[in-house]
Amino acid sequence: MLKARVSGLGEDAALARLDLADLAAKVRRHAELRYGARSRDCERRVMARVEASAQGVDCRFV
């Protein structure tokens, strides 16, 4: 569910990485969003880091 909400950032980071001359470089994007699990009654603030590298796109959430 969270990955779907930041999928646009992943695409943006991957496309930005293609424009770089250094193929080993990483491109990072950050976002803040509100998320409430179905089992909870309140929403929480979630920070997302999306990184595009030679291995692909990676999403981390805190």
Side-chain angles (χ1 to χ4, degrees):
M1 177 76 97
L2 283 172
K3 281 189 177 184
R5 293 181 64 179
V6 295
S7 64
L9 284 176
E11 292 173 13
D12 181 54
L15 291 174
R17 188 178 170 278
L18 292 176
D19 293 338
L20 297 177
D22 183 10
L23 295 178
K26 296 178 182 177
V27 175
R28 291 186 180 102
R29 299 287 187 256
H30 299 89
E32 176 182 341
L33 49 114
R34 305 290 294 176
Y35 177 73
R38 290 183 195 150
S39 62
R40 306 231 180 214
D41 356 338
C42 62
E43 290 185 340
R44 302 280 182 171
R45 183 176 139 201
V46 177
M47 301 300 294
R49 185 214 41 158
V50 180
E51 179 179 273
S53 66
Q55 286 79 29
V57 177
D58 180 41
C59 301
R60 301 290 171 135
F61 302 97
V62 177

